[in-house]
Amino acid sequence: MRGFLGEKINQGGTADIHAWAPGQVVKLFKEGFPPRLGQQEARMTRAVFAAGAPAPEVFGEVTLDGRFGIVLGRLDGPTLLELTRSGAVTFAQAGAIIASLGLSVHRLSPPPETFHLRGWMDTTFRRSGDIVPKHIASGILALIDRLQQPDDGLCHGDIHPNNVIMTTDGPRLIDWTFSIRAPAALDHGFTHISLTEFALDVTDNPQRPLAINAAAQSEYARLSGTPIAALTQAMEAWLPIAIVRYFLIMGGPTSERWQRMMQRAEAALRPQD
């Protein structure tokens, strides 16, 4: 793969983005990040781009000083989060963009490379030891068995404003590492958690993520022709699964917020009188 490691353009929790070749960047995962996850992201990004998803193009894979990297088409433009912070995009507009991107993903047939939610959760529970108590793990698997349908579609798994690049060709979704075969309600759960829980720990304006989340739900309901009450009910049914999956991905965080979220998930799994 021709190119060379250029200036650092951006960085995140798991990877650094560097210039590579003209029109390309390399997403270079940090030391300790499991290469299998990076390879899965490469497979999924390549597959969803070919299927017409608003994803970056994949040009290849590299290993530099022991770090796995994905060579991607360069997406020039600010993130949706940056535009909402500056006021260039209103909260309602940001929610509409999130909804439109989500619907475009959910209308795609999952590529063969897509992991099935049930299998992913079962395998990850077994690999993670005692991060999730066994009674919660078994309850989550039982809930998936009860809710999941054979025609489940594609979920991105992490739709939020910082994963949206606003290019001159329109918004593009990045970070397909944790895309999964599951119903759209699970993706709504992921977005809900991102904007009503995680974002509150880092935002300069707590009203911003809450307003964007509300606008995204409202606009998705309008675009899909689904009553907002039905959309919310479906999302809430899948919310315990979304919480526990995020918990597994993040390696079992121990903050008070996470403890409260896991308690919510555990309570939702209890039989109702």
Side-chain angles (χ1 to χ4, degrees), residues 126-170:
R126 287 188 275 106
R127 285 178 173 171
S128 63
D130 296 326
I131 289 178
V132 175
K134 294 193 184 311
H135 70 283
I136 295 181
S138 60
I140 288 293
L141 293 177
L143 182 59
I144 293 172
D145 289 338
R146 186 163 72 249
L147 294 177
Q148 198 156 22
Q149 301 295 320
D151 59 348
D152 283 340
L154 177 65
C155 289
H156 175 273
D158 201 17
I159 302 177
H160 58 74
N162 208 33
N163 272 347
V164 178
I165 307 295
M166 301 298 292
T167 76
T168 55
D169 295 323

Side-chain angles (χ1 to χ4, degrees), residues 30-45:
K30 297 183 177 180
E31 292 183 15
F33 188 83
R36 61 184 174 81
L37 293 182
Q39 291 160 358
Q40 174 63 9
E41 179 173 343
R43 285 191 294 267
M44 281 304 302
T45 307

Side-chain angles (χ1 to χ4, degrees), residues 49-106:
F49 177 84
E57 185 174 2
V58 176
F59 290 97
E61 302 168 21
V62 297
T63 300
L64 301 174
D65 296 328
R67 298 169 64 185
F68 178 78
I70 309 172
V71 179
L72 301 162
R74 181 164 182 160
L75 300 177
D76 288 316
T79 67
L80 184 57
L81 177 60
E82 290 169 337
L83 291 179
T84 57
R85 282 177 171 169
S86 71
V89 171
T90 68
F91 302 163
Q93 289 170 333
I97 290 167
I98 292 288
S100 178
L101 285 171
L103 192 60
S104 70
V105 172
H106 301 153

Side-chain angles (χ1 to χ4, degrees), residues 94-212:
I97 290 167
I98 292 288
S100 178
L101 285 171
L103 192 60
S104 70
V105 172
H106 301 153
R107 285 175 170 169
L108 291 175
S109 297
E113 297 86 349
T114 314
F115 290 147
H116 289 259
L117 174 66
R118 212 301 186 167
W120 187 96
M121 294 291 286
D122 189 25
T123 298
T124 309
F125 280 139
R126 287 188 275 106
R127 285 178 173 171
S128 63
D130 296 326
I131 289 178
V132 175
K134 294 193 184 311
H135 70 283
I136 295 181
S138 60
I140 288 293
L141 293 177
L143 182 59
I144 293 172
D145 289 338
R146 186 163 72 249
L147 294 177
Q148 198 156 22
Q149 301 295 320
D151 59 348
D152 283 340
L154 177 65
C155 289
H156 175 273
D158 201 17
I159 302 177
H160 58 74
N162 208 33
N163 272 347
V164 178
I165 307 295
M166 301 298 292
T167 76
T168 55
D169 295 323
R172 296 291 183 267
L173 265 174
I174 59 172
D175 289 357
W176 291 80
T177 314
F178 299 109
S179 51
I180 199 80
R181 182 188 290 265
L186 183 66
D187 238 359
H188 299 321
F190 292 141
T191 299
H192 179 81
I193 293 169
S194 290
L195 295 176
T196 65
E197 297 287 351
F198 299 155
L200 300 184
D201 289 334
V202 297
T203 185
D204 59 325
N205 177 3
Q207 291 306 310
R208 182 193 303 118
L210 298 178
I212 291 173

